[in-house]
Amino acid sequence: MPFFPDSPRPRRPLRLLAPWLAGALPLVLGVGILYWQAERDLEASASNTANQALAQFDLMLDNVAAAANELAPLAGQPCAEVTLALREQVTRRPFVRSTNLGLDDHLYCSSLFGDISEPINPGDYADGRLWLMDGNPVTPGQALLVYRAAQDEQTALATLDGYHLANALRMIGRDQPVLLQVGNSWLAPNGSVHDAPSPAFAVAPTQLASSRYPLSVSTGYPAGATWQWVASHPLLLALVVFLALVAGGVCRWLLRRAHSPRAELARALDANEFIPYYQPVVRGITGRWAGVEVLMRWQHPREGLVRPDLFIPFAEHSGLIVPMTRHLMRQAANDLRAHAERLEDDFHVGINITAEHCQDLALLDDCRDFLAGFAPGRVTLVLELTERELIRPTPITHQLFEALHNLGVMIAIDDFGTGHSSLAYLREFKVDFLKIDQSFIATIGKDALSGHIVDSIIELSGKLDLGIVAEGVEDTVQRDYLVERRVEFLQGYLFGRPVPLHALIDQLPAP
Ligand SMILES: Nc1nc2c(ncn2[C@@H]2O[C@@H]3COP(=O)(O)O[C@H]4[C@@H](O)[C@H](n5cnc6c(=O)[nH]c(N)nc65)O[C@@H]4COP(=O)(O)O[C@H]3[C@H]2O)c(=O)[nH]1
């Protein structure tokens, strides 16, 4: 059946590729949407984290700044007199680790040690207010954030322990790293201070600056975090894969359906690719043309002329045989009508009909259409019913065959001898001819048993008063044998092969 899969539209590589493309489309789209969703989700999460961290640092610094601002007006007073005030701020205010007073950029009093003497460099402080230190002489190596409140020559410093800051970074940034940036230094969640620009995050990089203090927090995710998010949603991924499989499967199914034998036959029918060939049937005794058998051929655009036994079974199976036969009958009627004057009177036109075609009265209309236009008595339509597929008798078939008989349509049993028709069957369907199957004719003179079957069929037809046609007559030995037994009609390559209309017209005897 090479002409079905190799049908010209669309090309085979495209047909093989199409389901994969149809499956890939939802896959690419679905994964793309998931990736986009992951980016949005990570951005929202990073922004949320940065906001939380910023709020926490602002809150801590509010306490520290309040302590420094409250102490600054005391700067200049003797240390012994303000030490209590300095310590009270440390005790009273959360997050404040120590407080100091200075005058003219010189520290002179500390909550920890009382009198001290240290220079203050305002340039160390971002915006003159905040300094992220990596430690001081009291706690070297431990981060410290110093807030400076300066009013003219008076200065107060309040410090915030880096432990609180690092702890907040770790707590808030459980799912992603958060960094605190003050001036040119940044604090990592492990409490280490780095004097360099903070590292850039590959995914959803987010930096938020405080509106109250000269600090900012930055957060984000490392490279590959987006795909990790996608992989952490297996249900969504499974849905995408499921949709891709469904799309690929549906596409494959549609393509297969579009290129099923039925679809290909339907296309060919629409394209008028089924055409009639005609094989002569001659009279046994005179050898003159008695008529033709119409045999279907498929003029395939790529495969050329296709034999009926390669596609008729599919046509029968798919239910297209009836419209195909109807189409063939119309073409044959048109062909022969155009040359009616070349046909002998009572010219027999045999057409193969399937049992399915006999299930309703539409066949009667098809026969009427065929005969219309021919002068009465010019042609005799012979419906050939194969003995291999017997018709089930019903009230409709009874009515149909009665009407066909009245219309003058004759019935022949094709391939006779290969099936199981009975005497009752021959009567039921008002059979007029038996066509002896060519397999028996081929053995004439070679196989005594088959010769005996041929003789029996001839004898039977005589007794039942049925006409007889011998199919597949290929040589003169067969012809002479049949003529000797008074077989009325002969058909076979000896007299002519099935040919298209123009060749038939050339072969027709002159009027
Ligand atoms: N070896 C040999 N063969 C010969 C000789 N003389 C005729 N034939 C072939 O025998 C077949 C006779 O037709 P069939 O028995 O109705 O057998 C037909 C018929 O059963 C079916 N068929 C053909 N056209 C139609 C159609 O329009 N409708 C239906 N339902 N079946 C069709 O396909 C079968 C085969 O048709 P074709 O290939 O045209 O083959 C034809 C014909 O070409 C001969 O001397 N030697």
Side-chain angles (χ1 to χ4, degrees):
M1 197 189 50
F3 38 89
F4 287 125
D6 281 352
S7 61
R9 295 171 305 168
R11 288 170 177 213
R12 194 176 170 80
L14 186 66
R15 264 196 350 249
L16 291 178
L17 211 60
W20 291 100
L21 290 177
L25 192 67
L27 195 68
V28 170
L29 264 176
V31 171
I33 290 171
L34 279 183
Y35 192 88
W36 176 77
Q37 180 60 37
E39 282 185 326
R40 285 184 53 116
D41 200 68
L42 293 177
E43 276 165 15
S45 166
S47 165
N48 189 32
T49 301
N51 272 306
Q52 272 188 51
L54 206 56
Q56 187 64 25
F57 295 139
D58 279 353
L59 178 83
M60 290 177 179
L61 275 172
D62 283 348
N63 286 285
V64 179
N69 288 330
E70 207 170 310
L71 292 173
L74 304 181
Q77 295 182 26
C79 187
E81 289 176 21
V82 294
T83 308
L84 202 60
L86 289 177
R87 288 179 183 162
E88 188 196 346
Q89 289 298 328
V90 172
T91 315
R92 197 155 55 86
R93 299 217 183 251
F95 304 114
V96 179
R97 187 178 110 171
S98 66
T99 50
N100 305 274
L101 283 180
L103 199 66
D104 293 329
D105 291 336
H106 193 87
L107 277 187
Y108 71 94
C109 190
S110 149
S111 59
L112 265 179
F113 305 111
D115 291 314
I116 55 168
S117 175
E118 268 182 43
I120 302 172
N121 179 11
D124 288 339
Y125 295 79
D127 193 28
R129 292 194 288 160
L130 271 188
W131 185 15
L132 180 63
M133 301 171 69
D134 60 356
N136 65 4
V138 183
T139 51
Q142 185 171 330
L144 197 70
L145 187 60
V146 188
Y147 183 86
R148 172 174 172 266
Q151 295 167 6
D152 303 326
E153 72 282 3
Q154 294 174 307
T155 302
L157 302 181
T159 62
L160 199 161
D161 199 317
Y163 169 81
H164 296 301
L165 299 170
N167 202 33
L169 289 177
R170 281 194 302 272
M171 296 292 288
I172 295 168
R174 258 194 300 256
D175 297 331
Q176 77 245 53
V178 188
L179 312 177
L180 171 65
Q181 180 89 42
V182 180
N184 290 325
S185 304
W186 60 276
L187 178 70
N190 64 4
S192 58
V193 174
H194 305 264
D195 291 328
S198 58
F201 290 96
V203 175
T206 305
Q207 188 161 38
L208 276 187
S210 165
S211 58
R212 302 210 288 273
Y213 304 101
L215 61 82
S216 64
V217 292
S218 57
T219 185
Y221 296 85
T226 319
W227 286 116
Q228 268 175 23
W229 186 100
V230 173
S232 66
H233 291 74
L235 275 181
L236 288 176
L237 269 179
L239 182 69
V240 168
V241 171
F242 173 73
L243 288 176
L245 288 175
V246 168
V250 167
C251 176
R252 200 172 120 88
W253 178 74
L254 285 174
L255 280 173
R256 284 179 70 127
R257 210 176 68 139
H259 293 88
S260 64
R262 188 185 197 286
E264 185 55 14
L265 288 174
R267 183 200 62 74
L269 182 59
D270 281 350
N272 290 331
E273 288 174 10
F274 299 112
I275 54 165
Y277 263 47
Y278 302 90
Q279 185 179 28
V281 177
V282 302
R283 292 185 190 277
I285 295 174
T286 61
R288 287 181 66 87
W289 280 47
V292 287
E293 178 178 0
V294 182
L295 294 158
M296 196 183 292
R297 295 289 183 269
W298 183 356
Q299 204 147 42
H300 196 279
R302 271 163 49 119
E303 303 297 326
L305 209 60
V306 181
R307 293 192 338 249
D309 49 334
L310 292 180
F311 63 87
I312 290 285
F314 292 98
E316 288 175 349
H317 185 70
S318 63
L320 280 172
I321 189 64
V322 173
M324 283 164 65
T325 306
R326 187 169 292 137
H327 180 76
L328 194 77
M329 286 175 81
R330 284 190 191 135
Q331 287 186 82
N334 288 339
D335 284 354
L336 297 175
R337 214 177 281 144
H339 303 279
E341 77 288 351
R342 306 270 313 265
L343 310 178
E344 285 201 8
D345 276 350
D346 191 25
F347 193 78
H348 285 203
V349 181
I351 291 188
N352 291 283
I353 299 290
T354 55
E356 189 193 338
H357 209 153
C358 304
Q359 294 311 309
D360 58 43
L361 298 179
L363 179 59
L364 194 59
D365 293 332
D366 295 335
C367 293
R368 279 204 192 98
D369 290 348
F370 183 91
L371 292 170
F374 288 108
R378 176 48 54 104
V379 298
T380 298
L381 180 59
V382 183
L383 301 185
E384 300 191 7
L385 310 172
T386 178
E387 200 193 27
R388 293 197 185 99
E389 188 196 15
L390 297 182
I391 301 168
R392 213 164 20 90
T394 63
I396 293 283
T397 53
H398 186 258
Q399 190 187 342
L400 172 70
F401 282 87
E402 187 67 41
L404 287 172
H405 186 72
N406 293 338
L407 193 63
V409 175
M410 299 188 121
I411 306 296
I413 297 297
D414 206 1
D415 315 316
F416 192 78
T418 60
H420 300 95
S421 59
S422 62
L423 196 54
Y425 185 84
L426 300 180
R427 290 222 172 100
E428 173 93 40
F429 296 103
K430 303 192 180 305
V431 171
D432 300 286
F433 294 102
L434 301 182
K435 290 189 82 171
I436 309 174
D437 189 70
Q438 55 182 271
S439 58
F440 300 119
I441 304 300
T443 58
I444 287 176
K446 296 172 191 148
D447 180 338
L449 177 65
S450 297
H452 186 65
I453 293 174
V454 173
D455 291 349
S456 302
I457 296 173
I458 295 169
E459 201 184 320
L460 176 76
S461 68
K463 283 184 183 157
L464 298 178
D465 200 20
L466 299 176
I468 192 144
V469 185
E471 277 188 309
V473 182
E474 291 187 348
D475 56 43
T476 50
V477 175
Q478 293 163 352
R479 181 197 61 192
D480 295 344
Y481 184 94
L482 295 161
V483 169
E484 211 175 291
R485 283 157 181 77
R486 302 198 164 273
V487 171
E488 202 179 351
F489 299 107
L490 305 178
Q491 178 183 353
Y493 292 168
L494 182 65
F495 312 103
R497 287 176 177 260
V499 288
L501 177 73
H502 65 87
L504 171 81
I505 301 307
D506 290 347
Q507 289 176 25
L508 271 178

